[in-house]
Amino acid sequence: MVVAAAMLSLLRPLLATCVCLLLLPGCQGRILGYTNGFHYQDISNGNGHGEIYFNGIRLHVESPQSSVSATRGSTVTLPCHYHYEPELTTPRKTRVKWSWLPANTMTPQVSTETFLKETEVMVAMGSRHRSYGSFRGRVRLRRSAPGDMSLVINELQVNDTGRYRCEVIDGLEDDSVTVDLELRGVVFPYYSQKGRYHYNFFRAQKECQDQDATLATFEQLFTAWEEGLDWCNAGWLADGTVQYPITIPRDGCGGKNLAPGLRSYGQRDRVLHRYDAFCFAASVKGTVYFLENTTNLNFTDAIQACASDGSQIAKVGQLYAAWKLMGLDHCDAGWLADGSVRYPITKARANCGPSQPDQ
């Protein structure tokens, strides 16, 4: 019997003045008595209209990592540093804003519309800071050295994945960099006990959540395919597309002549169309273990036995996470919370299912 021993856990806007210079036709403009350390050069283009060119100190925002991966419930740091070239002789007040684009809204090509979907995570200026939404109380700036504006996220949640933007503004200019946050976990297909293709998009979302998981993203399914996942039934992903991974081309799964890869049906109607689901489970907060019993148990008995042992019956996502991330291996089958019976195998052997590790 499979059991999960649960461990319960629980702007102000920056105001700046703007100095504008209006060049009159035929005039050679100069900036007199203005000593901010920058050099402005007015160049006439020959037709009586001046152009302003800016040369001087530049703000640079950088990250040594374009992506970071971590496990659910852990503390993760998204690196972000800024500096000036050449270095400043007098410090400037800076405002830092971290924003977030959830994984299920990320698109291959960044557009203006994409930026509008970014959600504020944290804003800081000097010693003052404010966090927002589900990140409230869970984020802070590391500030381990001058220019370090790395974001520290505590109690990492499944839905925290996506693209984070670190933007630094000093009143004269701004620059930003993005860092992708990924969760280490496992993708697994999930379908109704009535058979395949019974879930619309919203039902698929709920089914994954009920198994302590979320709908997988395209990137998560692609990684699972690279690691060998092969499944011929199509399932919903977090972006509303329907796809399935094939490592061995064959008839009935797109045909033998198609190359291995993700087969895609594209965007489908989220209410009307019915498919299976590809769920993503991250690490379990607790321990998944088998409760030995001298007699065979039915489903109701199994639930009671787990409760009597001070635990609760494990969910499908929890078993997958324990198998993938913690190496759980047990050849005896046990009940799970959805009424299915499964067992995890990391070392394939006789009398324990197929020749390939799975569960």
Side-chain angles (χ1 to χ4, degrees):
M1 169 186 334
V2 186
V3 185
M7 296 171 57
L8 298 179
S9 63
L10 2 114
L11 273 174
R12 190 172 71 185
L14 177 66
L15 299 178
T17 58
C18 180
V19 179
C20 301
L21 175 64
L22 175 64
L23 293 179
L24 299 177
C27 293
Q28 294 293 329
R30 291 191 180 187
I31 300 176
L32 302 177
Y34 188 61
T35 57
N36 66 347
F38 291 81
H39 172 62
Y40 295 84
Q41 183 180 8
D42 172 27
I43 301 177
S44 175
N45 61 12
N47 62 1
H49 297 286
E51 297 179 358
I52 294 294
Y53 288 82
F54 172 84
N55 297 300
I57 298 172
R58 291 290 185 183
L59 170 66
H60 295 274
V61 179
E62 301 168 341
S63 176
Q65 296 173 257
S66 61
S67 65
V68 174
S69 62
T71 56
R72 186 176 64 173
S74 65
T75 296
V76 64
T77 300
L78 306 183
C80 174
H81 302 82
Y82 78 90
H83 67 278
Y84 291 91
E85 291 182 359
E87 292 185 6
L88 293 176
T89 56
T90 304
R92 292 182 186 160
K93 288 185 177 180
T94 55
R95 176 176 180 260
V96 180
K97 182 176 79 170
W98 276 93
S99 54
W100 168 60
L101 185 67
N104 60 0
T105 62
M106 289 170 59
T107 56
Q109 294 184 344
V110 178
S111 63
T112 302
E113 183 181 356
T114 298
F115 282 114
L116 296 177
K117 295 178 183 177
E118 290 186 349
T119 301
E120 286 190 341
V121 174
M122 182 181 190
V123 175
M125 186 166 61
S127 60
R128 295 177 297 168
H129 65 273
R130 179 177 296 174
S131 52
Y132 300 89
S134 64
F135 295 96
R136 190 185 302 274
R138 292 197 297 126
V139 294
R140 62 179 175 84
L141 296 181
R142 185 171 61 180
R143 297 185 187 272
S144 63
D148 181 11
M149 295 298 164
S150 302
L151 184 70
V152 180
I153 306 176
N154 296 315
E155 289 292 321
L156 192 62
Q157 300 175 4
V158 172
N159 292 326
D160 288 344
T161 57
R163 179 163 296 158
Y164 288 76
R165 180 179 302 277
C166 173
E167 183 178 13
V168 180
I169 308 165
D170 71 1
L172 289 172
E173 55 178 324
D174 66 275
D175 194 15
S176 67
V177 68
T178 59
V179 182
D180 290 344
L181 175 60
E182 302 170 351
L183 275 181
R184 289 195 290 270
V186 56
V187 173
F188 61 94
Y190 194 78
Y191 52 92
S192 169
Q193 294 183 5
K194 298 177 181 179
R196 72 173 192 165
Y197 298 172
H198 280 269
Y199 303 147
N200 67 15
F201 175 80
F202 302 103
R203 179 65 184 273
Q205 275 187 322
K206 184 180 184 304
E207 291 295 331
C208 289
Q209 291 169 0
D210 288 347
Q211 300 310 315
D212 201 26
T214 60
L215 274 178
T217 65
F218 170 83
E219 290 78 11
Q220 290 164 349
L221 183 62
F222 185 81
T223 298
W225 168 75
E226 288 183 315
E227 294 175 350
L229 180 61
D230 183 284
W231 194 258
C232 198
N233 293 341
W236 291 102
L237 296 182
D239 61 359
T241 61
V242 174
Q243 310 196 34
Y244 61 99
I246 295 297
T247 58
I248 303 175
R250 54 197 182 274
D251 291 334
C253 300
K256 294 181 179 179
N257 297 327
L258 281 181
L262 298 187
R263 311 283 194 254
S264 177
Y265 292 173
Q267 292 281 342
R268 311 300 287 175
D269 189 292
R270 299 188 180 199
V271 176
L272 299 179
H273 290 145
R274 299 289 192 273
Y275 296 96
D276 295 339
F278 284 105
C279 303
F280 175 82
S283 60
V284 180
K285 275 200 157 185
T287 302
V288 176
Y289 65 97
F290 281 78
L291 185 61
E292 304 292 346
N293 201 289
T294 55
T295 60
N296 292 330
L297 303 176
N298 61 29
F299 180 61
T300 303
D301 292 337
I303 294 176
Q304 183 57 50
C306 290
S308 299
D309 201 48
S311 302
Q312 61 186 24
I313 193 165
K315 299 178 179 180
V316 175
Q318 294 169 341
L319 180 61
Y320 266 99
W323 164 71
K324 178 72 172 181
L325 302 177
M326 303 175 68
L328 183 63
D329 183 283
H330 200 281
C331 197
D332 294 327
W335 290 102
L336 293 174
D338 67 343
S340 63
V341 177
R342 308 174 189 237
Y343 60 100
I345 296 297
T346 57
K347 298 177 182 178
R349 53 196 182 274
N351 302 320
C352 291
S355 58
Q356 296 296 322
D358 201 346
Q359 64 88 29

